[in-house]
Amino acid sequence: MMLAENFKIVTAQLVAACEKVGREPSSVSLLPVSKTFSAEVVAQAAQLGYRRFGENKAQELKQKAQELADLHLSWVIIGHLQTNKAKEVAKYADEIQSLDRIELAVALDKRLQQEGRALDALIQVKTSTEESKTGMLPEEVPTFLDALKGFDTLRIKGFMTIAENSTNSQVVRECFRQVRELSEKMRQQTGLPLPVLSMGMSGDFELAIAEGATEVRIGSAIFGARHYPPSA
Ligand SMILES: *Cc1c(COP(=O)(O)O)cnc(C)c1O
């Protein structure tokens, strides 16, 4: 695997996308998404200087976190989470970007209190019309943010979205724009800083950067095509 080369290419594309719209490249962070790739591959990426990794399953995150405990990496859960997985996430993750309902906040809070830990958290907003995409509807966000005030184990930093999987760049951009506008509105209404906008993946991160993403989540462009086990 050409890991170093791929990181170099993606970073150059990220910088170019920033420059194209007059943004500072340092205003956008890169979250490598290592789901389905082995702990060995993550260790290679860590050698290149990357410290945070995105995973979409609690079990897989736990396994890699345990296997690579010596490296003191930071794990970010980015996939839909069942409440019965809150324990693993509370123990091994540093951040959740897929916070999408109050039951999950309650389950995480309980486990985090037991662990004496806290997580950074992004609210996942559903902007795509695809049934399979998870997240909360934009109109539900104000009430949710209000309810989250009671949880000091969850530090709400902003929003995450997965755009529509479309070849029409206008449609994709509109998904990102919706979340940027929502975040601006929520900042005004709540007075919270909410600085993070996690938007954009391998296929659409340039559009996300143009719409204000502060973090892009990149899997296949760095690690290559994923081969899911038959059971997944
Ligand atoms: C897998 C995944 C990514 C990365 O997708 P690529 O297209 O491989 O870059 C980003 N975000 C989420 C939520 C994912 O599940």
Side-chain angles (χ1 to χ4, degrees):
M1 189 183 302
M2 312 276 293
L3 207 53
E5 185 66 19
N6 289 351
F7 269 114
K8 215 189 258 177
I9 293 168
V10 167
T11 303
Q13 289 169 339
L14 191 155
V15 169
C18 286
E19 282 168 353
K20 193 171 157 195
V21 295
R23 295 188 56 192
E24 267 311 314
S26 62
S27 69
V28 182
S29 55
L30 169 62
L31 178 68
V33 174
S34 50
K35 66 186 185 197
T36 79
F37 291 92
S38 67
E40 240 166 44
V41 171
V42 176
Q44 283 174 35
Q47 280 222 319
L48 297 169
Y50 294 88
R51 311 301 304 170
R52 288 169 74 232
F53 294 91
E55 289 285 339
N56 70 335
K57 295 205 166 78
Q59 189 59 30
E60 192 176 338
L61 183 152
K62 174 186 172 178
Q63 273 172 13
K64 288 179 201 172
Q66 286 184 334
E67 209 168 318
L68 301 172
D70 290 353
L71 299 182
H72 303 288
L73 301 174
S74 214
W75 298 96
V76 183
I77 190 97
I78 59 174
H80 183 67
L81 196 64
Q82 317 249 289
T83 49
N84 64 5
K85 300 285 163 47
K87 189 179 171 184
E88 280 79 25
V89 171
K91 210 172 165 128
Y92 296 102
D94 292 300
E95 180 179 344
I96 176 167
Q97 298 199 348
S98 46
L99 187 61
D100 60 358
R101 60 202 193 282
I102 197 74
E103 300 80 59
L104 181 57
V106 169
L108 284 168
D109 180 62
K110 181 177 155 207
R111 295 297 184 175
L112 285 162
Q113 288 200 29
Q114 289 170 359
E115 296 288 335
R117 299 186 74 228
L119 291 183
D120 285 348
L122 304 182
I123 296 171
Q124 183 177 354
V125 180
K126 182 176 162 79
T127 49
S128 156
T129 55
E130 293 158 72
E131 268 308 310
S132 63
K133 297 286 165 67
T134 54
M136 112 176 336
L137 295 172
E139 55 267 32
E140 300 171 323
V141 167
T143 312
F144 189 50
L145 262 177
D146 202 47
L148 287 170
K149 275 187 200 152
F151 299 89
D152 38 347
T153 54
L154 295 169
R155 299 178 293 240
I156 309 301
K157 300 290 183 182
F159 302 93
M160 183 270 253
T161 198
I162 302 172
E164 186 103 17
N165 185 4
S166 167
T167 51
N168 183 337
S169 62
Q170 292 294 6
V171 169
V172 174
R173 237 183 126 137
E174 185 50 38
C175 295
F176 297 140
R177 181 177 317 147
Q178 256 189 65
V179 178
R180 178 183 29 89
E181 287 174 356
L182 176 70
S183 82
E184 284 163 5
K185 204 165 119 195
M186 289 302 100
R187 249 175 257 152
Q188 278 173 4
Q189 278 184 17
T190 65
L192 295 169
L194 303 171
V196 181
L197 279 181
S198 172
M199 334 193 274
M201 325 200 308
S202 294
D204 58 15
F205 70 89
E206 280 116 334
L207 294 170
I209 287 172
E211 284 299 337
T214 65
E215 175 152 299
V216 294
R217 309 177 306 271
I218 312 288
S220 48
I222 292 169
F223 296 106
R226 284 183 290 275
H227 302 286
Y228 288 96
S231 63

